[in-house]
Amino acid sequence: MNLRFIETFLWIVRLGSFSAAAEKLNATQASISNRIATLERELGVQLFDRESRNVTLTPVGRAAVPKAEEIIRAANEFREAIASPTTLKGTVSIGTIDSIVHSFLPHLFERVQERYPGIAIDLNVDTSLNVAREITDRKIDLALIMGPVPDPALINLELGTYRCVWVANPKYGLHGRRLSFEDLCGYPIFAFSKGSAPHHGLLKQFRDEGLDPPTISNSNSLATIMRLASDGLGIAPLPRVILDEHLASGKLVQLDVFPAFKPLTFHAVYPDHPDNLLPSIIAVMAAEVSLSMADA
């Protein structure tokens, strides 16, 4: 029995259509249909109801899903345990955010390249909200974001918590003394993308201090925020782990603000699916790398 045909069966079930499975597996829809027809002939059963407009499993098809998952999971575990990492090939699509790109992602890439040189990574950088949508819709294999994503079909692996600090160009003369949120209201503020958890958290901190939130300019690019703050165009809360170079050069100084900005907690999110072995392995690698750098 062809394992690829069983995998195709599971992808159709998971994505809900022959066409979506064809796109995911880089095959034609006719090829996908032929694989299922061949599998059904070998088993002597009908797995899908062809008379329905939507892809619908027959009772036998529904019973076959957990067994098929066991087969694929066992095959992948066997391959991972026995095969040389250098023989594993393929592409893993990862969605992530700017905070991770500027913190532990380069170290993760280095580790993946060392262990799995045949694995290519298709990387997309966006907001946590958009990446969470993509992993929920199964458009990517792995999400590295500010999570978790509440979906029973997804695994959320915590990657650690990163401390955030307020920084500014030294020209403002704000360093060396305790600052309140009321003190911050008199300066332009750059912060995380609008609608993100850190953005909502920042607004809440001002309200908790009995203050109307000031005008806050937003960006999902930490490089942009750092550049604007370094050029003296405003103050900003940023992950401490990414600031070493800017603080050492004197372009930015760390401010003593109370209460402190809420730390960022990252998660690796991936579908709990038997053919998702490589994304799950990379998620564990991400946890190892990230937790070694987390400081909160």
Side-chain angles (χ1 to χ4, degrees), residues 1 3 8 21 26 41 89 102 110 151 154 170 172 196 203 210 220 224 234 268:
M1 187 175 295
L3 284 175
T8 300
N26 195 27
R41 282 196 304 272
K89 300 183 183 300
H102 289 279
E110 183 179 13
D151 185 325
L154 295 174
Y172 286 115
S196 66
L203 297 180
N220 67 348
T224 298

Side-chain angles (χ1 to χ4, degrees), residues 39-284:
L39 184 61
E40 289 176 328
R41 282 196 304 272
E42 289 182 0
L43 296 172
V45 298
Q46 186 173 334
L47 298 171
F48 294 101
D49 181 2
R50 304 295 201 280
E51 297 180 2
S52 173
R53 291 184 59 186
N54 300 317
V55 171
T56 305
L57 287 166
T58 64
V60 173
R62 286 193 295 273
V65 171
K67 295 298 183 182
E69 289 178 338
E70 288 179 17
I71 292 170
I72 297 301
R73 182 177 286 111
N76 282 331
E77 288 175 353
F78 175 80
R79 181 179 64 168
E80 171 61 17
I82 303 301
S84 168
T86 59
T87 66
L88 296 178
K89 300 183 183 300
T91 300
V92 178
S93 57
I94 299 178
T96 192
I97 57 176
D98 213 48
S99 300
I100 289 176
V101 169
H102 289 279
S103 53
F104 68 83
L105 190 70
H107 302 282
L108 173 60
F109 268 49
E110 183 179 13
R111 184 167 297 192
V112 172
Q113 288 171 351
E114 287 176 354
R115 178 159 177 77
Y116 300 106
I119 299 300
I121 293 178
D122 184 4
L123 184 68
N124 178 49
V125 181
D126 207 327
T127 64
S128 285
L129 289 173
N130 289 338
V131 175
R133 219 172 278 125
E134 288 190 327
I135 194 68
T136 300
D137 294 340
R138 309 300 191 264
K139 293 180 178 178
I140 57 176
D141 300 315
L142 173 65
L144 304 175
I145 55 175
M146 281 183 276
V149 179
D151 185 325
L154 295 174
I155 293 176
N156 288 274
L157 179 64
E158 188 167 324
L159 300 179
T161 300
Y162 284 67
R163 181 168 57 102
C164 282
V165 297
W166 285 89
V167 292
N169 185 290
K171 78 172 187 178
Y172 286 115
L174 295 173
H175 52 298
R177 58 189 174 95
R178 173 61 63 93
L179 299 171
S180 68
F181 268 65
E182 187 173 7
D183 295 324
L184 303 182
C185 289
Y187 299 90
I189 296 176
F190 299 105
F192 299 85
S193 55
K194 196 170 185 179
S196 66
H199 176 251
H200 286 302
L202 178 58
L203 297 180
K204 184 177 184 300
Q205 284 191 298
F206 276 104
R207 295 190 184 103
D208 288 347
E209 295 299 307
L211 300 168
D212 290 329
T215 300
I216 300 173
S217 298
N218 306 101
S219 174
N220 67 348
S221 168
L222 295 192
T224 298
I225 294 175
M226 283 190 288
R227 174 61 187 271
L228 294 171
S230 297
D231 288 349
L233 298 176
I235 61 177
L238 290 166
R240 176 61 183 82
V241 70
I242 71 172
L243 292 170
D244 284 346
E245 183 179 337
H246 288 77
L247 294 174
S249 69
K251 293 179 180 178
L252 289 174
V253 290
Q254 185 172 322
L255 308 182
D256 180 13
V257 178
F258 184 83
F261 192 84
K262 300 296 182 183
L264 308 180
T265 299
F266 300 134
H267 285 80
V269 187
Y270 56 95
D272 184 12
H273 197 267
D275 62 359
N276 225 31
L277 182 64
L278 278 175
S280 67
I281 290 172
I282 294 175
V284 172

Side-chain angles (χ1 to χ4, degrees), residues 13-36:
V13 173
R14 179 178 174 185
L15 298 177
S17 72
F18 280 59
S19 59
E23 182 177 356
K24 175 65 181 180
L25 298 173
N26 195 27
T28 64
Q29 190 166 338
S31 174
I32 295 299
S33 297
N34 185 61
R35 292 180 194 178
I36 297 303

